[in-house]
Amino acid sequence: MKDDDLEAARLLLTRLGIHPQQLLKTPTTAAVPTIGDYIDRVSHAVPVGTRRVYDTYWRRIAEAWGDRRIDELTPMDIKQFAEQVKLQVVVRRNSRGGRSAAEHLIAALRCLYRHAVADGLISENHNPATRVAKPRRLATTRRALPDRALTEINEVAGTTGSDPELDLLLLRLHTETACRRGGALQLRATHLDTEQCLIRLYEKGETVRWQPVSPTLMRHLVAHGEERGLRGEHLLRYRNGQPLTARRYDHLWQRLGKHLPWVATQQISTHWLRHTTLTWVERNFGYAVARAYAGHNGKSDAGTTSTYVRADLHEVAEALAALTGEAHPLSR
């Protein structure tokens, strides 16, 4: 190197405030955690709903790769593991070849590595989870149930089982509101607006919405809460006062399947009621109202047009009034 170049380098270092000795030091980097350690950290940083969905898959990932560093996995590792998960899944009558398990596994890894990128442990270009495609989703087999089928389901639910009143209340709640199981299970007495006949639903994706219900359903919800519930606690409860769990739904549909063979054959579940109600609303009140009725408000739920054609709560109330045959306080 020429003297002029050395002098120029010294001048540049002086202006930057850097001493030549600093260039000889090896930069320190944060220790890269193992996958097992990082899963534990991430699981405490995500919402409860996310942790509940991914916990099973994070445990399987930790069992397989817990001792490996977070930056050591490759897309091929993930792809091979996803195929193993598909093969090992428990085969049920409604099984779809383990696609859902593989999809959730990859989603769990993507969640993990999004945090790793944010923490600077790896770069986005070296994120192995984003370079593995999720299995293509097959078209759902769920569809809207005809009126005759709904009538049969309610008749059997109301005449069998240990608590037909509770089962009928659940069926009406889901038929009127098209809510998901999680929304019903989180319903509390403080979530009831009795004056305007609205209930506040907390559903997946941490969404919160007010949903109209008929005056009749509101009266039944209030009476149920006064008889079995506690102020501020979970509204839906067994006769012994214990909060309802998802197992009640499983037992309900198993019992219905024993009395109605077509329920068991087609694997009818609570989510079919959501399909039934939203299909009816869409056919009679249009897509915008059905979308609002379902509580869909994310960008992924529809195209750009949905930004301009949103339905309001009053339109949802009008659809409900037509569905139930009861006037609603918010319907025009």
Side-chain angles (χ1 to χ4, degrees):
M1 182 178 290
K2 297 180 180 179
D3 292 341
D4 291 343
D5 294 334
L6 288 172
E7 187 59 32
R10 292 191 188 97
L11 181 61
L12 178 60
L13 290 174
T14 300
R15 288 181 177 178
L16 294 175
I18 299 175
H19 298 288
Q21 292 83 354
Q22 292 178 273
L23 301 177
L24 299 177
K25 295 181 180 179
T26 303
T28 57
T29 57
V32 178
T34 64
I35 291 174
D37 290 339
Y38 201 63
I39 285 175
D40 186 59
R41 288 161 56 181
V42 171
S43 66
H44 288 86
V46 298
V48 174
T50 301
R51 183 164 59 251
R52 183 172 57 248
V53 172
Y54 293 153
D55 185 61
T56 300
Y57 300 94
W58 280 338
R59 281 190 275 110
R60 296 192 66 171
I61 293 166
E63 290 173 3
W65 299 320
D67 295 333
R68 296 180 64 174
R69 287 189 343 211
I70 193 74
D71 60 351
E72 289 183 337
L73 284 192
T74 67
M76 182 60 70
D77 291 330
I78 296 174
K79 189 170 184 180
Q80 290 176 343
F81 193 47
E83 290 300 319
Q84 291 179 21
V85 169
K86 286 174 62 176
L87 294 174
Q88 295 170 359
V89 73
V90 177
V91 178
R92 297 185 175 89
R93 281 188 293 177
N94 62 344
S95 176
R96 315 200 83 183
R99 288 173 174 268
S100 179
E103 178 183 353
H104 280 82
L105 174 75
I106 295 172
L109 280 163
R110 288 184 178 180
C111 176
L112 190 70
Y113 276 95
R114 278 198 302 271
H115 284 81
V117 171
D119 284 343
L121 300 174
I122 62 171
S123 66
E124 184 60 54
N125 292 334
H126 291 86
N127 184 341
T130 57
R131 287 183 281 170
V132 179
K134 292 182 180 180
R136 181 177 59 85
R137 285 193 177 184
L138 301 178
T140 181
T141 57
R142 300 186 186 106
R143 64 182 185 281
L145 296 170
D147 291 342
R148 175 188 56 78
L150 278 177
T151 300
E152 291 182 4
I153 286 173
N154 279 274
E155 286 178 350
V156 173
T159 55
T160 62
S162 60
D163 197 346
E165 292 181 1
L166 174 61
D167 293 335
L168 286 175
L169 180 62
L170 286 178
L171 291 173
R172 177 148 190 170
L173 173 63
H174 287 281
T175 302
E176 280 198 18
T177 66
C179 70
R180 301 175 178 86
R181 293 196 315 183
L185 292 174
Q186 293 190 67
L187 193 61
R188 299 171 184 266
T190 54
H191 298 166
L192 306 182
D193 182 341
T194 56
E195 183 177 350
Q196 299 187 87
C197 286
L198 297 172
I199 63 173
R200 189 164 60 213
L201 293 172
Y202 292 80
E203 295 190 306
K204 73 176 187 178
E206 298 186 293
T207 59
V208 182
R209 62 188 172 103
W210 285 102
Q211 186 75 13
V213 297
S214 67
T216 297
L217 176 56
M218 180 59 76
R219 286 195 299 272
H220 283 297
L221 289 172
V222 171
H224 179 89
E226 291 175 346
E227 178 184 346
R228 306 184 184 188
L230 299 172
R231 187 71 178 171
E233 297 295 331
H234 292 89
L235 177 69
L236 299 173
R237 293 176 177 268
Y238 297 103
R239 283 201 176 104
N240 62 7
Q242 291 298 313
L244 209 66
T245 68
R247 292 180 63 85
R248 184 67 191 185
Y249 290 94
D250 298 334
H251 293 321
L252 170 61
W253 291 105
Q254 288 171 7
R255 187 174 81 249
L256 291 172
K258 291 178 180 178
H259 291 83
L260 302 170
W262 55 271
V263 169
T265 300
Q266 297 181 49
Q267 295 290 293
I268 309 298
S269 65
T270 306
H271 211 69
W272 286 62
L273 302 180
R274 179 173 168 85
H275 277 255
T276 302
T277 301
L278 295 179
T279 298
W280 185 90
V281 173
E282 190 277 331
R283 298 293 190 271
N284 291 276
F285 289 86
Y287 175 75
V289 177
R291 185 168 181 264
Y293 207 110
H296 289 161
N297 53 19
K299 294 181 179 179
S300 61
D301 296 324
T304 306
T305 308
S306 64
T307 304
Y308 307 97
V309 289
R310 294 182 179 180
D312 60 25
L313 195 59
H314 295 281
E315 292 173 285
V316 174
E318 287 180 4
L320 172 71
L323 176 69
T324 61
E326 292 187 49
H328 191 276
L330 297 183
S331 60
R332 296 170 180 144

